Amino acid sequence: MIEELRSIGLSDLEARIYLALLEEPEISGYEVAKRVSVSRTNVYAALRALTDKGVCRTIEAEPVLYDAVPIAELIRTMKTRFDQTSRLLLQELDAPPKKAASFYSWKGEQALRQAMDRVIANSERSIIVDVWSEDFQAMEEALLDAEGRGVRVIVMTIGKVHTPLKEVITHLRSADWEGHISRKFSVLADGKAALIGSFGKTVKLSALETDHPSIIELLRNGFYHDLVGEWIERDFGAALAENYGKDYEKIIASYRELLT
């Protein structure tokens, strides 16, 4: 719980003190210091900060006693403050229309995951995802949340996945897939926000976020061709293999050097 409390603005020591007060309400600063094994000077400073933040309350006694504000009350208060502040910021700082498309670069696992979660969380109508099965879990929870709030989620995976998501299109792998040193992914949200990146052990995790119309159209076209190809293969797979070879080898053979 320490990490979760830190995420709402408490320091490590403040979080430990808050948990101690929840376990044993109405105790003195001296008792708090004993429970968290920190000097009284630091504990009293942290208690003053917690009181100022409205996280704990004091009881006038000799000595002064401290009590934690119940977590449900604390969360409701913080949510109200956040909503009020959010409305003010949106009113005062709402950006004017952008004159040009933007490109943002994200590097490293934490930055990449935060970008994915944010793009998915801010979708309102639709999300189209193209991802390898090995990397699907990194975004599955966020996609389930989106589907739960009424967003249409369509996932195309390279390799099979097991998920309760309603619309999943699976591309089976051929031998050509095994040599890939990176595993690309893309997320298209509401047809206007795109995130394109790669996972892989031999390359640093990275992604590009953009609203550039050309990239949006590229992902839309990719989805269109994947969708049409999936249905055609489903209905005419045997005939296609007979005419064009397994994995369309007769078509691809003369272009192989351009595709590797």
Side-chain angles (χ1 to χ4, degrees), residues 13 18 37 78 162-163 215 240:
L13 178 56
Y18 181 74
S37 300
M78 296 183 71
H162 300 284
T163 176
I215 304 298
L240 292 172

Side-chain angles (χ1 to χ4, degrees), residues 60-189:
E60 292 301 325
E62 187 58 42
V64 174
L65 303 179
Y66 296 88
D67 190 24
V69 173
I71 188 65
E73 294 182 18
L74 178 61
I75 294 300
R76 281 194 293 270
T77 301
M78 296 183 71
K79 185 178 184 301
T80 299
R81 290 175 182 169
F82 179 82
D83 289 344
Q84 292 171 345
T85 302
S86 298
R87 285 194 294 270
L88 179 61
L89 289 173
L90 288 171
Q91 291 171 2
E92 299 296 328
L93 302 179
D94 191 21
K98 292 188 291 185
K99 296 180 180 179
S102 300
F103 292 89
Y104 305 101
S105 179
W106 304 104
K107 295 182 180 180
E109 181 175 1
Q110 182 177 357
L112 191 149
R113 289 178 183 274
Q114 288 177 344
M116 282 194 302
D117 288 346
R118 177 175 45 76
V119 170
I120 293 170
N122 282 278
S123 62
E124 297 176 348
R125 297 180 293 101
S126 66
I127 301 171
I128 300 172
V129 172
D130 191 352
V131 64
W132 286 58
S133 58
E134 290 92 330
D135 311 309
F136 172 68
Q137 190 174 8
M139 58 181 76
E140 182 180 20
E141 184 176 353
L143 293 173
L144 286 168
D145 286 343
E147 191 172 78
R149 66 173 187 272
V151 176
R152 185 176 184 183
V153 176
I154 303 173
V155 178
M156 295 177 290
T157 65
I158 300 173
K160 292 183 178 180
V161 298
H162 300 284
T163 176
L165 287 168
K166 298 175 183 176
E167 296 186 78
V168 178
I169 300 171
T170 301
H171 297 305
L172 299 180
R173 300 184 192 179
S174 66
D176 293 339
W177 293 104
E178 302 306 322
H180 283 246
I181 61 173
S182 66
R183 303 185 301 270
K184 60 90 174 177
F185 75 90
S186 65
V187 178
L188 179 61

